[in-house]
Amino acid sequence: MGDRWSHGGSFYHADGTPAINDEWAIAGMEYLLDQRQYAPPEALTWDWYGEAEAFRQGRVAMLISWGEWFPWFEASPTSQVSGRVATVPCPQEIALRSPSECAFGEVPGISHCGGSSLLLSRYSKQQEAAWVFLQWLTSADTMTRVAILSNTNGVRRSTYSDPRLRVGFGGQPHVIKYFDVTLDAIENRMGVEPHLPKWIDLGFNRFPVELGKLMTNQQSIKTTLDNMAQAAAQVAQTL
């Protein structure tokens, strides 16, 4: 996603037609393929864990990852890079398409964020107690404690300004920078995927198959992006 967004592309044009195979998307794919020469050959088979494990072993010098692996690099007893990991701001985009040029709520950006949800089942026999628990769990104090105990980023804005985050594990300068860089990415560099009912199937099933074929030299950039555009058009037409 970031490779397209950072080169001026998007998934859809403002009129809802696919933009994923235009010249900006092609430029992003060409850049992505150029990076293969700097990665270990087996990188083509990695998932997020494989990428992080290679970095933890000291086999690669730089990574951009979806998962929150920084605490693992720092605190894992067998980490080869503990104390030597630095976070830096997101790379500068070569070009960036404005949200007004996109559709379905898409916001291009170099950064990208996943997420999780807490839900209260309507079938719960303890709804009142569960609701109280959810309010406690997501409170500012509890979320800050979770961040400190797990050495992971908070999900509330208040966590990042809480002075308790600056002690213990977080008291190390490079760890403080890790939190600061994350907050900057969230507030200023965040990209948002199109809001489509079938986006999960499109973005996490159909697109990855086509990209996998591209990365393993089974098909060209044009064929890959044309197939992705066709899939994107089919999803938009069902709205």
Side-chain angles (χ1 to χ4, degrees):
M1 298 177 188
D3 52 295
R4 273 176 296 282
W5 282 338
S6 64
H7 283 75
S10 61
F11 290 98
Y12 289 94
H13 293 296
D15 62 1
T17 58
I20 201 168
N21 59 342
D22 64 13
E23 66 271 25
W24 305 106
I26 292 173
M29 286 293 97
E30 290 174 343
Y31 175 81
L32 178 64
L33 291 185
D34 284 344
Q35 307 315 304
R36 290 188 298 183
Q37 61 184 306
Y38 306 112
E42 64 269 27
L44 293 177
T45 67
W46 289 345
D47 55 11
W48 295 114
Y49 175 82
E51 175 195 44
E53 174 62 11
F55 187 85
R56 190 178 72 101
Q57 294 174 359
R59 298 178 55 214
V60 295
M62 183 185 302
L63 86 163
I64 299 176
S65 184
W66 182 302
E68 187 149 3
W69 302 105
F70 186 87
W72 193 46
F73 301 150
E74 283 294 310
S76 172
T78 58
S79 175
Q80 300 300 305
V81 295
S82 179
R84 297 188 291 145
V85 180
T87 51
V88 295
C90 299
Q92 182 63 48
E93 300 90 343
I94 294 174
L96 195 61
R97 187 167 287 174
S98 69
S100 63
E101 299 177 87
C102 307
F104 310 119
E106 180 181 355
V107 179
I110 189 65
S111 181
H112 186 243
C113 182
S116 301
S117 300
L118 292 172
L119 303 175
L120 174 54
S121 173
R122 69 173 64 183
Y123 303 107
S124 171
K125 297 180 180 179
Q126 303 291 338
Q127 289 198 13
E128 183 175 350
W131 175 236
V132 171
F133 172 75
L134 288 181
Q135 292 179 80
W136 169 82
L137 183 61
T138 58
S139 68
D141 178 65
T142 303
M143 285 290 95
T144 297
R145 291 173 182 268
V146 169
I148 294 172
L149 291 173
S150 64
N151 300 325
T152 56
N153 282 294
V155 297
R156 289 184 64 119
R157 177 61 177 82
S158 60
T159 297
Y160 293 89
S161 58
D162 194 302
R164 291 174 293 176
L165 200 65
R166 307 287 168 157
V167 300
F169 179 83
Q172 302 174 44
H174 62 294
V175 178
I176 291 176
K177 186 177 182 181
Y178 160 65
F179 289 113
D180 292 341
V181 167
T182 300
L183 181 61
D184 174 66
I186 294 172
E187 292 190 327
N188 303 310
R189 312 295 299 281
M190 188 63 67
V192 179
E193 300 163 342
H195 297 350
L196 293 168
K198 294 186 177 181
W199 174 256
I200 295 299
D201 177 58
L202 188 65
F204 293 84
N205 293 322
R206 302 180 71 175
F207 285 175
V209 169
E210 298 299 333
L211 291 172
K213 292 178 180 179
L214 171 65
M215 297 301 293
T216 54
N217 299 316
Q218 297 181 57
Q219 61 190 25
S220 67
I221 291 177
K222 184 179 187 307
T223 298
T224 298
L225 295 182
D226 285 348
N227 290 346
M228 293 170 68
Q230 183 179 13
Q234 292 172 350
V235 167
Q237 291 169 0
T238 62
L239 298 178

